[in-house]
Amino acid sequence: MTEATQRPWDVEFAATKSYDLIYSGSRMDSTTIARVPWTGKAEDRANTELIVKAVNNLDVLVAALEAVES
């Protein structure tokens, strides 16, 4: 498996009028991960928040599953 982009990921809501920006690293020296469409619907913002939360909590979730498995 290849290395994933460094975490934590962060988000800039309404980076433009059409999308939220998910990135890794400091805002000045960042790597763009994704541009999530922003149409003004609440679910757009919720999707962006869910992506970032899931990625940033991956290690904790995997550790919990491994603890249950053993």
Side-chain angles (χ1 to χ4, degrees), residues 9-11 22 47-57:
W9 289 5
D10 205 350
V11 63
I22 297 174
N47 289 339
T48 301
E49 291 172 339
L50 180 62
I51 291 166
V52 172
K53 183 177 181 179
V55 168
N56 288 338
N57 287 293

Side-chain angles (χ1 to χ4, degrees), residues 1 8-9 11 21-22 25 31 33 41 46 48 52 57 61 65 70:
M1 181 188 331
W9 289 5
V11 63
L21 177 66
I22 297 174
T31 299
I33 305 299
K41 296 179 182 175
T48 301
V52 172
N57 287 293
L61 294 170
L65 288 172
S70 53

Side-chain angles (χ1 to χ4, degrees), residues 3-45:
E3 288 295 317
T5 303
Q6 181 179 345
R7 291 174 298 228
W9 289 5
D10 205 350
V11 63
E12 180 181 338
F13 293 112
T16 72
K17 291 183 179 180
S18 60
Y19 64 82
D20 294 330
L21 177 66
I22 297 174
Y23 63 92
S24 171
S26 70
R27 190 64 193 107
M28 296 298 291
D29 183 31
S30 64
T31 299
T32 300
I33 305 299
R35 290 178 179 92
V36 182
W38 171 245
T39 63
K41 296 179 182 175
E43 69 185 36
D44 294 341
R45 185 62 38 85

